[in-house]
């Protein structure tokens, strides 16, 4: 019987994960339990996607604001710290900023505008045009910014992030000055000691600062790259990918995830005989057309995945084949011609006309986005996502 459904994505519920739990056993048990109760069979090339949060929770990868502050103090001493290009997020950055401020005497906070790196807008592009301001050339003080744009609250969170971040810094006893610029070297007018907090552009920012006379430059992946007073840490990403856990702590991005995904794949193979692919995922990579925010606040979509998830899709565009190669065919003849073409397609379609319009992204970025949208970020309670049929095509 011919299949009538392609890719199927299921969010799987599992127990609340606590430090010290075996994430491998919980994931495998949850997959097997869901397969039994929802009556689906585990197949080769199925995918198990696990949110980074539960891996980090099982690892106990947490740190306190005091431990962040101690690392900041060790790196910057009593220097005025230029904190530049942070994202505008209570969950992602508020506790990090409190830790920075607790370890500093004075902070010059430099915000990118009109938006942060992931698309959270302080002001609209239309307002910039109206005021004749060019963020790539114009540096603004806080007074100038307020005179031009007033007080703007984020449309979804209702927070004025300029005021919110200033108050956080002041609450920790540090002096604060706020400026607005898109140019990394602007901060060097104020201080030669800089913590650059951007995520995906951090290496470029650090290079520009060092080439223009900065004396100390650290990125967020340098902070808590090793344990401080027994804290959690991440040797690859430091504080990047962390989230607020309590009012006095953060949960870090999980570390050493490759053995986790490899062991889960091995255990499922032992029980089912099937080769299931496994990945850990954080934020997906997609843009909200209303709020303008990109979801990707983690340093990578997937910090670890099994080998079957390497690479990019190698697909042809069905509508291109129907409109061009086989435009004279209809019905069953058209379907058979397209199926035959798919079965004979090259192993690498890079540059081929018939592949134009297919999504040129890594498999893990595509699948991670699918998993992130499925699990959500709230109370769905499905931190494990089971995906079937993702690698199937029209011929299956």
């Amino acid at each position: 019987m011919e299949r009538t459904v392609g890719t199927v994505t299921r969010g799987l519920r599992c127990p609340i994960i606590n430090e010290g739990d075996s994430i491998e056993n919980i994931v495998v048990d949850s997959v097997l339990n869901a397969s039994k109760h929802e009556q689906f069979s585990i197949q080769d090339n199925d995918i198990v996607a696990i949110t980074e949060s539960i891996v980090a929770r099982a690892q106990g990868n947490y740190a306190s604001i005091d431990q962040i502050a101690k690392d900041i103090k060790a790196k910057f001493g009593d220097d005025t710290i230029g904190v530049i290009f942070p994202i505008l997020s209570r969950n992602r950055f508020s506790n990090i900023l409190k830790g920075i401020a607790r370890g500093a005497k004075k902070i010059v906070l430099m915000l990118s505008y009109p938006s942060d790196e992931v698309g959270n807008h302080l002001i609209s592009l239309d307002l910039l045009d109206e005021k004749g301001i060019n963020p790539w050339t114009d540096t603004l003080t806080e007074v100038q910014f307020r005179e031009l744009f007033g007080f703007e609250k984020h449309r979804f969170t209702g927070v004025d992030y300029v005021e919110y971040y200033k108050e956080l810094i002041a609450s920790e006893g540090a002096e604060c000055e706020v400026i607005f610029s898109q140019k990394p070297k602007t901060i060097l007018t104020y201080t030669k000691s800089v913590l650059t907090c951007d995520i995906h552009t951090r290496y470029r920012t650090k290079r520009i600062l060092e080439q223009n006379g900065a004396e100390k430059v650290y990125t967020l992946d340098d902070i808590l790259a090793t344990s401080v007073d027994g804290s959690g840490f991440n040797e690859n990403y430091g504080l990047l990918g962390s989230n607020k856990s309590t009012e006095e702590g953060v949960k870090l991005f999980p570390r050493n995830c490759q053995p986790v995904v490899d062991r889960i794949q091995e255990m499922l193979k032992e029980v089912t005989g099937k080769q299931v692919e496994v990945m850990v995922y954080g934020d997906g990579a997609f843009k909200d057309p209303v709020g303008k925010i990109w979801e990707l606040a983690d340093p990578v979509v997937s910090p670890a995945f099994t080998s079957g998830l390497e690479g990019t899709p190698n697909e042809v565009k069905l509508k291109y084949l129907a409109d061009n190669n086989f435009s004279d065919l209809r019905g069953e003849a058209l379907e058979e011609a397209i199926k035959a073409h798919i079965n004979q397609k090259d192993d690498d379609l890079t540059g081929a006309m018939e592949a134009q319009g297919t999504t040129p992204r890594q498999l893990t970025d595509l699948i991670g986005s699918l998993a992130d949208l499925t699990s959500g970020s709230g109370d769905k309670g499905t931190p494990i996502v089971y995906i079937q049929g993702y690698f199937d095509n029209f011929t299956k």
Side-chain angles (χ1 to χ4, degrees):
M1 182 178 178
E2 186 171 344
R3 282 174 50 185
T4 58
V5 176
T7 301
V8 176
T9 305
R10 298 177 174 90
L12 306 189
R13 292 179 178 168
C14 72
I16 301 298
I17 308 297
N18 293 302
E19 181 177 353
D21 288 346
S22 170
I23 193 67
E24 297 90 346
N25 287 337
I26 289 173
V27 170
V28 171
D29 289 345
S30 297
V31 168
L32 295 176
N33 186 55
S35 172
K36 176 182 176 181
H37 286 277
E38 300 300 322
Q39 298 182 344
F40 64 87
S41 58
I42 295 170
Q43 302 293 334
D44 288 326
N45 296 320
D46 288 354
I47 303 166
V48 177
I50 310 148
T51 184
E52 57 81 20
S53 178
I54 62 171
V55 180
R57 284 180 62 81
Q59 292 175 343
N61 206 20
Y62 291 84
S64 70
I65 290 175
D66 282 338
Q67 289 163 334
I68 296 172
K70 186 171 183 177
D71 204 4
I72 292 293
K73 186 72 172 178
K75 288 178 168 62
F76 290 101
D78 290 334
D79 297 354
T80 294
I81 305 173
V83 176
I84 72 173
F85 301 155
I87 64 172
L88 307 175
S89 171
R90 292 167 297 175
N91 176 47
R92 289 288 188 169
F93 198 70
S94 64
N95 276 7
I96 292 176
L97 185 57
K98 287 172 70 174
I100 297 167
R102 195 172 291 183
K105 290 187 174 180
K106 180 178 179 179
I107 288 174
V108 179
L109 179 66
M110 190 170 90
L111 301 175
S112 58
Y113 76 103
S115 71
D116 68 8
E117 179 186 6
V118 298
N120 284 303
H121 276 68
L122 286 171
I123 49 175
S124 70
L125 289 171
D126 290 334
L127 195 52
L128 279 184
D129 295 339
E130 178 186 322
K131 300 294 184 179
I133 299 297
N134 183 346
W136 293 104
T137 58
D138 298 337
T139 297
L140 303 176
T141 65
E142 183 184 355
V143 171
Q144 290 170 326
F145 184 87
R146 293 303 193 190
E147 288 175 347
L148 285 163
F149 307 118
F151 288 76
E152 289 284 335
K153 293 185 177 181
H154 190 282
R155 67 178 299 166
F156 289 138
T157 65
V159 173
D160 181 313
Y161 281 96
V162 179
E163 198 67 22
Y164 177 60
Y165 280 179
K166 272 188 64 180
E167 290 175 354
L168 281 181
I169 294 169
S171 71
E172 294 298 331
E175 186 182 347
C176 178
E177 182 175 358
V178 182
I179 60 174
F180 302 82
S181 177
Q182 288 280 25
K183 299 174 291 185
K185 62 184 181 181
T186 298
I187 195 64
L188 300 178
T189 304
Y190 298 81
T191 178
K192 305 296 183 184
S193 298
V194 185
L195 177 62
T196 178
C197 301
D198 45 344
I199 305 163
H200 307 293
T201 55
R202 63 190 184 276
Y203 298 125
R204 175 179 180 269
T205 302
K206 184 176 184 180
R207 170 177 56 79
I208 291 171
L209 290 167
E210 290 176 337
Q211 289 174 346
N212 284 276
E215 296 170 0
K216 294 179 185 176
V217 184
Y218 293 98
T219 57
L220 279 182
D221 51 5
D222 294 319
I223 312 302
L224 292 189
T226 58
S227 181
V228 173
D229 291 343
S231 72
F233 67 98
N234 192 304
E235 59 271 71
N236 295 317
Y237 302 118
L239 284 176
L240 291 174
S242 63
N243 291 271
K244 181 177 183 178
S245 59
T246 67
E247 293 303 315
E248 283 291 315
V250 296
K251 176 188 64 61
L252 301 174
F253 211 51
R255 52 189 302 266
N256 200 26
C257 293
Q258 194 60 44
V260 174
V261 297
D262 289 340
R263 179 56 183 151
I264 291 170
Q265 182 182 59
E266 182 182 273
M267 292 170 69
L268 286 171
K269 183 69 175 287
E270 290 172 355
V271 176
T272 68
K274 302 298 182 180
Q275 185 77 359
V276 174
E277 304 300 338
V278 185
M279 66 181 286
V280 175
Y281 70 94
D283 277 345
F286 43 82
K287 186 174 182 177
D288 171 13
V290 177
K292 311 301 182 186
I293 184 174
W294 286 95
E295 183 69 8
L296 188 53
D298 286 325
V300 291
V301 172
S302 178
F305 48 88
T306 51
S307 60
L309 298 178
E310 293 176 356
T312 58
N314 190 58
E315 301 172 343
V316 296
K317 201 78 170 177
L318 294 189
K319 66 181 181 182
Y320 180 87
L321 297 179
D323 289 344
N324 292 272
N325 301 48
F326 310 114
S327 59
D328 58 328
L329 301 178
R330 297 291 185 273
E332 187 175 335
L334 176 59
E335 289 190 12
E336 292 305 317
I338 289 177
K339 287 178 180 178
H341 189 95
I342 292 172
N343 285 328
Q344 295 166 15
K345 67 183 178 183
D346 293 338
D347 291 335
D348 186 358
L349 292 169
T350 302
M353 285 296 297
E354 64 198 49
Q356 287 191 11
T358 57
T359 307
R361 288 166 61 184
Q362 295 182 110
L363 285 168
T364 49
D365 292 341
L366 291 164
I367 297 165
S369 297
L370 173 62
D372 190 23
L373 285 167
T374 301
S375 60
S377 58
D379 57 8
K380 287 185 172 60
T382 55
I384 303 167
V385 177
Y386 197 80
I387 303 168
Q388 294 188 295
Y390 189 84
F391 294 106
D392 290 355
N393 58 44
F394 190 56
T395 69
K396 301 299 182 183

